[in-house]
Amino acid sequence: MKKYNLRVYGIIINSNNEVLVSDERRYGVSMTKFPGGGLNWGEGHKETLVREIKEEMNLDAEIGEFFYVNDFFQSSAYREEDQLFSFYYRVLKVDFAAIPISNHSYPLTEEGEKFRWVSISDLNEEMFTFPIDKVVSSLIAKTIQP
């Protein structure tokens, strides 16, 4: 059965003009993406992102303005019968010092998730795994000024 899969991701930028990225390994697949995840029944977009940041980083966050949604067809990397819609929002307030940044090699070789900062000036599509994140990384590099 064909279904829609709604995802919500955060664009978290610190005072050093760095954007937060997530390196993950799930089900034996390594990936680099923006922090966030799937919308649950009964949630709005911003609620989803607040929950995801709490689950992934154990932090409270204030979600800002909408940034992007894909306007092209994208099937899920995990279930080809699912069509993805990925919504991206700026994250306005989060305790930057408490983000669990690690000094790790990537792609990850063990299951889990780790975070790192990437300078906006170094941001490029090739560092991301999924097509929609590639588009967003390019938009961030073009539209968010240091």
Side-chain angles (χ1 to χ4, degrees):
M1 178 157 87
K2 298 184 185 302
K3 297 191 285 186
Y4 296 110
N5 186 335
L6 305 177
R7 316 290 294 171
V8 186
Y9 297 98
I11 300 169
I12 302 172
I13 299 173
N14 66 18
S15 61
N16 295 324
N17 291 311
E18 298 169 316
V19 65
L20 189 69
V21 298
S22 169
D23 295 306
E24 298 182 32
R25 185 165 178 91
R26 304 275 186 233
Y27 313 110
V29 177
S30 295
M31 63 197 86
T32 297
K33 62 181 210 47
F34 291 99
L39 185 106
N40 290 335
W41 179 258
E43 287 182 325
H45 294 173
K46 290 183 178 185
E47 288 174 285
T48 297
L49 192 50
V50 166
R51 176 184 50 78
E52 287 287 339
I53 290 170
K54 187 68 163 179
E55 288 176 3
E56 294 177 0
M57 296 178 251
N58 196 29
L59 296 173
D60 295 319
E62 182 181 319
I63 309 307
E65 73 272 10
F66 169 79
F67 185 78
Y68 179 80
V69 64
N70 59 301
D71 58 357
F72 55 91
F73 174 78
Q74 182 62 57
S75 63
S76 170
Y78 297 100
R79 294 194 326 232
E80 286 185 14
E81 66 276 8
D82 284 8
Q83 180 176 350
L84 290 180
F85 287 97
S86 294
F87 300 85
Y88 295 77
Y89 287 84
R90 295 285 302 265
V91 176
L92 296 179
K93 291 184 183 175
V94 69
D95 184 356
F96 293 108
I99 294 174
I101 301 298
S102 71
N103 185 10
H104 60 274
S105 298
Y106 47 90
L108 291 184
T109 56
E110 70 280 349
E111 293 287 308
E113 179 176 27
K114 296 185 179 184
F115 299 96
R116 62 187 163 101
W117 293 110
V118 175
S119 173
I120 291 176
S121 61
D122 294 334
L123 206 59
N124 65 72
E125 294 180 6
E126 292 77 35
M127 66 179 47
F128 291 90
T129 304
F130 302 115
I132 303 170
D133 287 333
K134 291 176 184 286
V135 170
V136 170
S137 69
S138 179
L139 288 172
I140 291 170
K142 289 178 188 173
T143 62
I144 299 178
Q145 302 302 315

